[in-house]
Amino acid sequence: MNWKTLLFSFEGRVGRGAYWGLVVASLLLFGALGGASVMSMLNASDPAAAGGGTSVAMMVAGLLFLWPALAIQAKRWHDVDKSAWWILINLVPAVGGLIALVFNGFIAGTPGANRFGPAPAAQARPGQATAGA
């Protein structure tokens, strides 16, 4: 699966590794932006106005990160043979995010093909020869 398909398509399946890669990338990105925001507030003479630039950067990064995050999560739901509409479980207060974390991060996908496509391990990676080639 190429990067474009991984990050922008809502079709197919991905394994837990892609999901955890997204989680780590988001933690690093937003951790760095949050740290920069805090540092700019601590070093400024007017802390209320100091975080404006980094707050805008966090908002832009969040908007840019939203589509790939939804795409990867949709593919993880597909991997456990559930509709991508299960993404909406994240909106349930208190337990929704935990349920999504357990299903997407810890539950193995359906072995073999399911209604959403072949198992992620069976999909050819870029640069690999396929069985029919």
Side-chain angles (χ1 to χ4, degrees), residues 36-106:
S37 179
V38 168
M39 292 305 292
S40 70
M41 284 188 239
L42 291 175
N43 293 327
S45 59
D46 183 12
T54 52
S55 296
V56 169
M58 285 183 81
M59 185 172 61
V60 168
L63 289 173
L64 291 175
F65 215 77
L66 180 63
W67 191 271
L70 290 174
I72 288 176
Q73 198 173 127
K75 289 192 225 20
R76 272 303 298 149
W77 284 112
H78 289 169
D79 194 38
V80 294
D81 205 20
K82 298 204 179 303
S83 167
W85 286 105
W86 273 83
I87 290 173
L88 297 176
I89 195 82
N90 287 297
L91 300 176
V92 176
V95 297
L98 184 60
I99 292 168
L101 176 69
V102 169
F103 270 93
N104 291 313
F106 298 107

